Amino acid sequence: MNNRRVTTLLLIALVGLLPGTIFPAPLPCLTNLFSQQAQAATPRSRDSLSPTLLDQKTLQLANRGLWAEAAERLQQLSATDTTPTRHHAWLAFADLFLGKCNDLKELSEKVKSLPANASDPAAAQITETFHLICQGKLDEANTLATSLSTPDNKDVLLQLALAAVSAKRSNPALAVEYCEKVTALAPDFAWGYRTLGFIQERSLKDAAAAETAYRKALSIEPGFKEVRDLVVDLNLTRNNFDGAVDVALSAIKYAPRDANNYYRLSQIYTQQWRLKEATLQLDKAIALSSDNPRFYRAKASILRYQGHLNEAIAQQQKAVALSKDKAFELIELSALNELAGNVGAAADKLKEALAQSPSNQVAHQKLVLLLNKQKNWQDLADEYRRALVLQPKQAILHLGLAEALLKLEKADGAIDELKEAANLDNTDPRPHRALGAIYLERKDYAAAARSYTRALNINPGSVEDLVALGYTYAQNDDYMQAETAFVTALALQQLTGGGSGGNRFEVMKSLAVLLLSEGRYSEAATNLEAVTASQKDSPDHNLDQFLLCQARSLRDRSAETLKELSESFEKLSPGEKTLNREALVETYLKLHKADAALDSLKSLSESERKASLPWLTLEARAWRIKGDLTKAKELAGQAVATPDGHTDNKADSYVELAQILLADGKCAEADNAVSKATELNSKSFTAYEVLGRIYLKIADREHSIE
């Protein structure tokens, strides 16, 4: 045995006898373990094994957090090992950290197939511990690792395994205890300090202790980038910008040719709004690494803050050209173009992003918002169709396409899409609500009522849908059902203290209008009095007052309330007068004030009156009330001959013609006219009332009662 070998063994023996030694007793086992590791290590690492039992090259990779490279090296080192070794155990930890559970499973099976290592029996069991952790078998992993541990155990990797199990079992305090043992046993293990700080920061929220641990890791390995970033982030969280700058500057001093260090410093300056200094650092980063897209993106962001949008766009275009993730950079470029007012270019960039990454939800959502803002309904519909090719079962996409088609006045296509959306998602009331609105506009009241009812089946507490349903029933002359819907809506609003579907007074107003239609004038007036008293500052106050005067004049039938009705109408805006003149004339006629009705009609031109079926019908009614049946019959004849897409209007004109004929004693002709009215509108109570009077006139009491 040569002198150098003897000296080395004596030194080892002395270290083994020292109190608090990092190696386990008894000494013979230590000697065997060291010899085996030395034989497996490279010539360089044989001279200086760390207390972690990692050779210096592997330790340096671990201390920089480069576990992928460390794993690759450990695979090479363990390839020739004939028994389970620390190479296998450390490789198991690397695979666990990297989330390579399948590789770790193969490693575990390989280690189990090898003959036992009498010099280091814990190696195989530690390997299996990491495998069990990766498989989520935490209780088994804890039992196995704990069985290896003794109060005086000084195995660094075992302590790290116990820390990993504890952290996974949501016991961070215990994990910290094991990490502290790791760092005490292996003061050269920067990764141990990194792990200790990470748990202290993220789980225990002890920022001060975490920074102490991180700084110890950096004192061991100044090139540990992850830890340096963690220290910077900790300082920024506490608004300690000077501390963050100092750490970033130390990184530059350590590695002046690393462009990322200048980029990190620029980020800190940007957070402080020290934009000129941030730009200077970015320029240094670009000088060192001109092909990094994030440097140009960061510069574009600063230029945007400074209001230099065109220059920002130019920098972001460079980021797009250099980036592998072009979709992401194009989305950023689109945002800059939108800020600069280049809305068309912004949309084009999002389309380019989607061409690069068709399933990119961020680009899709931003494009939808932008096209909505532009009111570019055709492109919006095209975008939804493109997305539906990829996700045909997404109800929300069918719903969006339906909305776009409605804007394009393609209601039939919208109906198809809404039905598909409703079929795909039976928990969303919106497709049914939208269908109800379409059917209501088309005056298909039965279909509208079915749709709103389906919406209510999904969301029974929707005041909005109850009000819409009530309005639909009212339009279809289903007054009892309409009233039930409105009253229920009011009760729900009182119960919930508001909700969607308009405020309480809007619902009360809807109910009042229904009561007016039913002839329940006193109840209508009561509701409208509450509305006008509480909504004095509402922009609709004059209109509400007009409705109230309608109800009062029909209830009281006095000269005073008739005058108030006329005055309230005159206070309406020109647009409101146009919309409510028919209601005014109707009220006059119900009060048998034919002259007042005719005076109001005179404000319309003769061409307006003759072109509109409702106006002709009302004028005919006025002349009938005045007793001029010839004039009334002439106007009613014009009315029934006037084309009108609404069957209700046409039915009303036949009812009026029947009333004129009945007044003239022509019962058979009146019967014929009213029959046409009921064919057009089977729910016209006025038509049945007139038919009853016709039967009374001819003394057919049985049919009259029917």
Short mmCIF file of all heavy atoms in Angstrom, two decimals, residues 484-532:
data_model
loop_
_atom_site.label_atom_id
_atom_site.label_comp_id
_atom_site.label_asym_id
_atom_site.label_seq_id
_atom_site.Cartn_x
_atom_site.Cartn_y
_atom_site.Cartn_z
N THR A 484 -100.54 36.09 -13.66
CA THR A 484 -99.85 35.18 -12.74
C THR A 484 -98.33 35.35 -12.85
O THR A 484 -97.63 35.39 -11.84
CB THR A 484 -100.24 33.72 -13.05
OG1 THR A 484 -101.64 33.56 -12.89
CG2 THR A 484 -99.51 32.76 -12.12
N ALA A 485 -97.84 35.47 -14.09
CA ALA A 485 -96.40 35.62 -14.30
C ALA A 485 -95.90 36.93 -13.69
O ALA A 485 -94.86 36.96 -13.00
CB ALA A 485 -96.08 35.57 -15.79
N PHE A 486 -96.61 38.03 -13.92
CA PHE A 486 -96.19 39.32 -13.39
C PHE A 486 -96.24 39.35 -11.86
O PHE A 486 -95.33 39.86 -11.20
CB PHE A 486 -97.06 40.45 -13.96
CG PHE A 486 -96.78 40.77 -15.40
CD1 PHE A 486 -97.82 40.97 -16.29
CD2 PHE A 486 -95.48 40.88 -15.87
CE1 PHE A 486 -97.58 41.27 -17.62
CE2 PHE A 486 -95.22 41.18 -17.20
CZ PHE A 486 -96.27 41.38 -18.08
N VAL A 487 -97.30 38.80 -11.30
CA VAL A 487 -97.44 38.80 -9.84
C VAL A 487 -96.34 37.94 -9.21
O VAL A 487 -95.77 38.30 -8.17
CB VAL A 487 -98.84 38.30 -9.43
CG1 VAL A 487 -98.92 38.06 -7.93
CG2 VAL A 487 -99.91 39.31 -9.86
N THR A 488 -96.03 36.81 -9.84
CA THR A 488 -94.95 35.95 -9.34
C THR A 488 -93.60 36.68 -9.41
O THR A 488 -92.78 36.58 -8.49
CB THR A 488 -94.87 34.64 -10.15
OG1 THR A 488 -96.15 34.00 -10.13
CG2 THR A 488 -93.83 33.70 -9.57
N ALA A 489 -93.40 37.42 -10.50
CA ALA A 489 -92.16 38.20 -10.64
C ALA A 489 -92.04 39.23 -9.53
O ALA A 489 -90.97 39.41 -8.93
CB ALA A 489 -92.11 38.87 -12.01
N LEU A 490 -93.13 39.90 -9.24
CA LEU A 490 -93.13 40.89 -8.15
C LEU A 490 -92.82 40.24 -6.81
O LEU A 490 -92.06 40.77 -5.99
CB LEU A 490 -94.48 41.61 -8.09
CG LEU A 490 -94.72 42.68 -9.15
CD1 LEU A 490 -96.17 43.13 -9.13
CD2 LEU A 490 -93.81 43.88 -8.92
N ALA A 491 -93.41 39.07 -6.58
CA ALA A 491 -93.18 38.36 -5.31
C ALA A 491 -91.72 37.93 -5.19
O ALA A 491 -91.10 38.04 -4.12
CB ALA A 491 -94.09 37.14 -5.22
N LEU A 492 -91.14 37.46 -6.30
CA LEU A 492 -89.74 37.05 -6.28
C LEU A 492 -88.82 38.23 -6.02
O LEU A 492 -87.84 38.13 -5.28
CB LEU A 492 -89.37 36.40 -7.62
CG LEU A 492 -89.63 34.90 -7.74
CD1 LEU A 492 -89.39 34.44 -9.17
CD2 LEU A 492 -88.73 34.12 -6.79
N GLN A 493 -89.14 39.37 -6.65
CA GLN A 493 -88.31 40.55 -6.42
C GLN A 493 -88.37 40.98 -4.96
O GLN A 493 -87.36 41.39 -4.38
CB GLN A 493 -88.78 41.70 -7.32
CG GLN A 493 -88.28 41.57 -8.76
CD GLN A 493 -88.52 42.83 -9.56
OE1 GLN A 493 -89.55 43.47 -9.42
NE2 GLN A 493 -87.57 43.19 -10.39
N GLN A 494 -89.55 40.90 -4.38
CA GLN A 494 -89.67 41.28 -2.97
C GLN A 494 -88.88 40.31 -2.10
O GLN A 494 -88.24 40.71 -1.13
CB GLN A 494 -91.15 41.24 -2.57
CG GLN A 494 -91.40 41.60 -1.12
CD GLN A 494 -92.47 42.67 -0.98
OE1 GLN A 494 -93.18 42.97 -1.93
NE2 GLN A 494 -92.56 43.25 0.18
N LEU A 495 -88.89 39.03 -2.48
CA LEU A 495 -88.23 38.00 -1.69
C LEU A 495 -86.71 38.11 -1.79
O LEU A 495 -86.00 37.95 -0.80
CB LEU A 495 -88.69 36.62 -2.18
CG LEU A 495 -88.23 35.41 -1.36
CD1 LEU A 495 -88.83 35.43 0.03
CD2 LEU A 495 -88.60 34.12 -2.09
N THR A 496 -86.23 38.39 -2.99
CA THR A 496 -84.78 38.40 -3.22
C THR A 496 -84.18 39.80 -3.14
O THR A 496 -82.97 39.95 -3.20
CB THR A 496 -84.45 37.81 -4.60
OG1 THR A 496 -85.11 38.60 -5.62
CG2 THR A 496 -84.93 36.38 -4.70
N GLY A 497 -85.03 40.81 -3.06
CA GLY A 497 -84.51 42.17 -2.97
C GLY A 497 -84.00 42.71 -4.28
O GLY A 497 -83.11 43.55 -4.33
N GLY A 498 -84.53 42.25 -5.37
CA GLY A 498 -84.12 42.79 -6.69
C GLY A 498 -83.98 41.67 -7.68
O GLY A 498 -84.85 40.85 -7.85
N GLY A 499 -82.82 41.61 -8.30
CA GLY A 499 -82.57 40.58 -9.31
C GLY A 499 -82.68 41.16 -10.70
O GLY A 499 -82.98 42.32 -10.91
N SER A 500 -82.42 40.29 -11.68
CA SER A 500 -82.48 40.74 -13.07
C SER A 500 -83.93 40.85 -13.50
O SER A 500 -84.85 40.44 -12.82
CB SER A 500 -81.75 39.72 -13.96
OG SER A 500 -82.37 38.46 -13.86
N GLY A 501 -84.12 41.41 -14.68
CA GLY A 501 -85.46 41.52 -15.24
C GLY A 501 -86.10 42.86 -14.97
O GLY A 501 -87.31 43.02 -15.04
N GLY A 502 -85.29 43.89 -14.68
CA GLY A 502 -85.82 45.21 -14.44
C GLY A 502 -86.13 45.42 -12.98
O GLY A 502 -86.24 44.48 -12.20
N ASN A 503 -86.27 46.70 -12.57
CA ASN A 503 -86.58 46.94 -11.17
C ASN A 503 -88.06 46.66 -10.90
O ASN A 503 -88.85 46.42 -11.79
CB ASN A 503 -86.18 48.36 -10.76
CG ASN A 503 -86.98 49.42 -11.49
OD1 ASN A 503 -88.18 49.28 -11.71
ND2 ASN A 503 -86.31 50.50 -11.86
N ARG A 504 -88.40 46.70 -9.64
CA ARG A 504 -89.75 46.34 -9.20
C ARG A 504 -90.81 47.19 -9.89
O ARG A 504 -91.88 46.70 -10.27
CB ARG A 504 -89.83 46.51 -7.68
CG ARG A 504 -91.20 46.21 -7.10
CD ARG A 504 -91.15 46.21 -5.59
NE ARG A 504 -92.47 45.96 -5.03
CZ ARG A 504 -93.05 44.77 -4.96
NH1 ARG A 504 -92.43 43.72 -5.43
NH2 ARG A 504 -94.25 44.63 -4.43
N PHE A 505 -90.53 48.48 -10.07
CA PHE A 505 -91.53 49.38 -10.66
C PHE A 505 -91.75 49.12 -12.15
O PHE A 505 -92.84 49.36 -12.66
CB PHE A 505 -91.12 50.82 -10.39
CG PHE A 505 -91.10 51.15 -8.93
CD1 PHE A 505 -89.90 51.29 -8.24
CD2 PHE A 505 -92.29 51.28 -8.22
CE1 PHE A 505 -89.89 51.56 -6.89
CE2 PHE A 505 -92.28 51.55 -6.86
CZ PHE A 505 -91.08 51.70 -6.19
N GLU A 506 -90.72 48.60 -12.82
CA GLU A 506 -90.91 48.22 -14.23
C GLU A 506 -91.87 47.04 -14.33
O GLU A 506 -92.71 46.99 -15.24
CB GLU A 506 -89.56 47.86 -14.86
CG GLU A 506 -88.62 49.04 -15.08
CD GLU A 506 -89.23 50.08 -16.01
OE1 GLU A 506 -89.81 49.69 -17.04
OE2 GLU A 506 -89.15 51.28 -15.70
N VAL A 507 -91.74 46.10 -13.40
CA VAL A 507 -92.66 44.95 -13.40
C VAL A 507 -94.08 45.42 -13.05
O VAL A 507 -95.06 44.97 -13.66
CB VAL A 507 -92.18 43.87 -12.42
CG1 VAL A 507 -93.11 42.66 -12.47
CG2 VAL A 507 -90.75 43.44 -12.74
N MET A 508 -94.17 46.33 -12.07
CA MET A 508 -95.49 46.87 -11.71
C MET A 508 -96.13 47.59 -12.90
O MET A 508 -97.35 47.49 -13.13
CB MET A 508 -95.35 47.85 -10.54
CG MET A 508 -95.03 47.18 -9.21
SD MET A 508 -94.81 48.36 -7.87
CE MET A 508 -96.49 48.98 -7.69
N LYS A 509 -95.30 48.29 -13.66
CA LYS A 509 -95.82 48.99 -14.84
C LYS A 509 -96.35 47.99 -15.88
O LYS A 509 -97.41 48.19 -16.48
CB LYS A 509 -94.72 49.85 -15.46
CG LYS A 509 -95.23 50.82 -16.53
CD LYS A 509 -94.11 51.41 -17.37
CE LYS A 509 -93.10 52.13 -16.51
NZ LYS A 509 -92.06 52.79 -17.34
N SER A 510 -95.59 46.90 -16.08
CA SER A 510 -96.04 45.87 -17.03
C SER A 510 -97.37 45.27 -16.60
O SER A 510 -98.27 45.06 -17.43
CB SER A 510 -94.98 44.76 -17.13
OG SER A 510 -93.76 45.26 -17.62
N LEU A 511 -97.50 45.02 -15.30
CA LEU A 511 -98.76 44.49 -14.78
C LEU A 511 -99.89 45.50 -14.97
O LEU A 511 -101.02 45.13 -15.34
CB LEU A 511 -98.60 44.14 -13.30
CG LEU A 511 -99.85 43.63 -12.57
CD1 LEU A 511 -100.42 42.39 -13.25
CD2 LEU A 511 -99.54 43.35 -11.10
N ALA A 512 -99.59 46.77 -14.76
CA ALA A 512 -100.61 47.82 -14.92
C ALA A 512 -101.11 47.90 -16.35
O ALA A 512 -102.31 48.05 -16.60
CB ALA A 512 -100.04 49.16 -14.48
N VAL A 513 -100.20 47.80 -17.31
CA VAL A 513 -100.59 47.83 -18.73
C VAL A 513 -101.49 46.64 -19.04
O VAL A 513 -102.47 46.76 -19.79
CB VAL A 513 -99.34 47.84 -19.63
CG1 VAL A 513 -99.73 47.66 -21.09
CG2 VAL A 513 -98.56 49.15 -19.45
N LEU A 514 -101.16 45.48 -18.45
CA LEU A 514 -102.00 44.30 -18.63
C LEU A 514 -103.40 44.54 -18.06
O LEU A 514 -104.41 44.23 -18.70
CB LEU A 514 -101.35 43.09 -17.95
CG LEU A 514 -102.19 41.81 -17.92
CD1 LEU A 514 -102.36 41.26 -19.31
CD2 LEU A 514 -101.53 40.78 -17.00
N LEU A 515 -103.45 45.12 -16.87
CA LEU A 515 -104.74 45.39 -16.24
C LEU A 515 -105.56 46.39 -17.06
O LEU A 515 -106.79 46.27 -17.15
CB LEU A 515 -104.52 45.92 -14.82
CG LEU A 515 -103.89 44.92 -13.84
CD1 LEU A 515 -103.48 45.61 -12.55
CD2 LEU A 515 -104.85 43.76 -13.55
N LEU A 516 -104.87 47.35 -17.67
CA LEU A 516 -105.56 48.30 -18.57
C LEU A 516 -106.20 47.55 -19.73
O LEU A 516 -107.34 47.82 -20.11
CB LEU A 516 -104.56 49.32 -19.11
CG LEU A 516 -104.38 50.63 -18.34
CD1 LEU A 516 -103.24 51.45 -18.94
CD2 LEU A 516 -105.67 51.44 -18.36
N SER A 517 -105.44 46.60 -20.31
CA SER A 517 -105.96 45.82 -21.43
C SER A 517 -107.17 45.00 -21.03
O SER A 517 -108.10 44.78 -21.83
CB SER A 517 -104.88 44.89 -21.98
OG SER A 517 -103.75 45.63 -22.41
N GLU A 518 -107.18 44.51 -19.78
CA GLU A 518 -108.28 43.70 -19.28
C GLU A 518 -109.50 44.54 -18.89
O GLU A 518 -110.57 43.99 -18.63
CB GLU A 518 -107.82 42.91 -18.05
CG GLU A 518 -106.88 41.77 -18.35
CD GLU A 518 -106.63 40.94 -17.11
OE1 GLU A 518 -107.44 40.04 -16.83
OE2 GLU A 518 -105.64 41.20 -16.41
N GLY A 519 -109.31 45.86 -18.82
CA GLY A 519 -110.41 46.72 -18.37
C GLY A 519 -110.50 46.85 -16.87
O GLY A 519 -111.50 47.31 -16.32
N ARG A 520 -109.44 46.46 -16.16
CA ARG A 520 -109.41 46.56 -14.70
C ARG A 520 -108.72 47.88 -14.34
O ARG A 520 -107.58 47.93 -13.88
CB ARG A 520 -108.69 45.35 -14.11
CG ARG A 520 -109.47 44.06 -14.38
CD ARG A 520 -108.63 42.82 -14.25
NE ARG A 520 -108.15 42.60 -12.88
CZ ARG A 520 -107.37 41.58 -12.52
NH1 ARG A 520 -107.01 40.68 -13.44
NH2 ARG A 520 -106.97 41.44 -11.29
N TYR A 521 -109.43 48.97 -14.61
CA TYR A 521 -108.83 50.29 -14.59
C TYR A 521 -108.44 50.75 -13.18
O TYR A 521 -107.43 51.43 -13.00
CB TYR A 521 -109.78 51.30 -15.23
CG TYR A 521 -110.22 50.89 -16.62
CD1 TYR A 521 -111.58 50.86 -16.98
CD2 TYR A 521 -109.28 50.50 -17.57
CE1 TYR A 521 -111.98 50.47 -18.25
CE2 TYR A 521 -109.67 50.10 -18.84
CZ TYR A 521 -111.03 50.08 -19.17
OH TYR A 521 -111.42 49.69 -20.42
N SER A 522 -109.23 50.40 -12.19
CA SER A 522 -108.94 50.82 -10.82
C SER A 522 -107.63 50.20 -10.33
O SER A 522 -106.78 50.88 -9.74
CB SER A 522 -110.09 50.44 -9.89
OG SER A 522 -109.82 50.88 -8.57
N GLU A 523 -107.44 48.88 -10.59
CA GLU A 523 -106.21 48.20 -10.17
C GLU A 523 -105.01 48.75 -10.94
O GLU A 523 -103.92 48.93 -10.38
CB GLU A 523 -106.34 46.70 -10.40
CG GLU A 523 -107.38 46.03 -9.52
CD GLU A 523 -107.65 44.60 -9.96
OE1 GLU A 523 -106.84 43.73 -9.62
OE2 GLU A 523 -108.66 44.38 -10.66
N ALA A 524 -105.22 49.02 -12.22
CA ALA A 524 -104.15 49.58 -13.04
C ALA A 524 -103.72 50.94 -12.49
O ALA A 524 -102.52 51.23 -12.37
CB ALA A 524 -104.59 49.72 -14.49
N ALA A 525 -104.70 51.76 -12.13
CA ALA A 525 -104.39 53.09 -11.59
C ALA A 525 -103.60 52.99 -10.28
O ALA A 525 -102.65 53.74 -10.05
CB ALA A 525 -105.68 53.87 -11.38
N THR A 526 -103.98 52.04 -9.44
CA THR A 526 -103.28 51.87 -8.16
C THR A 526 -101.81 51.54 -8.37
O THR A 526 -100.92 52.11 -7.72
CB THR A 526 -103.95 50.76 -7.33
OG1 THR A 526 -105.32 51.13 -7.08
CG2 THR A 526 -103.23 50.54 -6.01
N ASN A 527 -101.53 50.62 -9.29
CA ASN A 527 -100.14 50.26 -9.59
C ASN A 527 -99.36 51.43 -10.16
O ASN A 527 -98.22 51.70 -9.78
CB ASN A 527 -100.09 49.09 -10.57
CG ASN A 527 -100.23 47.74 -9.89
OD1 ASN A 527 -99.27 47.23 -9.33
ND2 ASN A 527 -101.42 47.19 -9.93
N LEU A 528 -100.01 52.16 -11.09
CA LEU A 528 -99.32 53.27 -11.75
C LEU A 528 -99.10 54.45 -10.82
O LEU A 528 -98.13 55.20 -10.97
CB LEU A 528 -100.10 53.70 -12.99
CG LEU A 528 -100.05 52.68 -14.14
CD1 LEU A 528 -101.13 52.97 -15.18
CD2 LEU A 528 -98.67 52.69 -14.78
N GLU A 529 -99.97 54.62 -9.85
CA GLU A 529 -99.76 55.68 -8.86
C GLU A 529 -98.49 55.40 -8.05
O GLU A 529 -97.71 56.31 -7.76
CB GLU A 529 -100.98 55.78 -7.94
CG GLU A 529 -102.16 56.52 -8.58
CD GLU A 529 -103.47 56.30 -7.83
OE1 GLU A 529 -103.46 55.54 -6.84
OE2 GLU A 529 -104.49 56.86 -8.26
N ALA A 530 -98.28 54.12 -7.70
CA ALA A 530 -97.07 53.75 -6.97
C ALA A 530 -95.82 53.94 -7.83
O ALA A 530 -94.78 54.41 -7.35
CB ALA A 530 -97.17 52.29 -6.52
N VAL A 531 -95.95 53.61 -9.11
CA VAL A 531 -94.81 53.76 -10.04
C VAL A 531 -94.42 55.23 -10.18
O VAL A 531 -93.25 55.60 -10.03
CB VAL A 531 -95.14 53.15 -11.41
CG1 VAL A 531 -94.06 53.52 -12.43
CG2 VAL A 531 -95.27 51.64 -11.31
N THR A 532 -95.40 56.10 -10.48
CA THR A 532 -95.09 57.51 -10.72
C THR A 532 -94.60 58.21 -9.46
O THR A 532 -93.74 59.09 -9.52
CB THR A 532 -96.33 58.25 -11.27
OG1 THR A 532 -97.43 58.04 -10.37
CG2 THR A 532 -96.70 57.73 -12.64
#
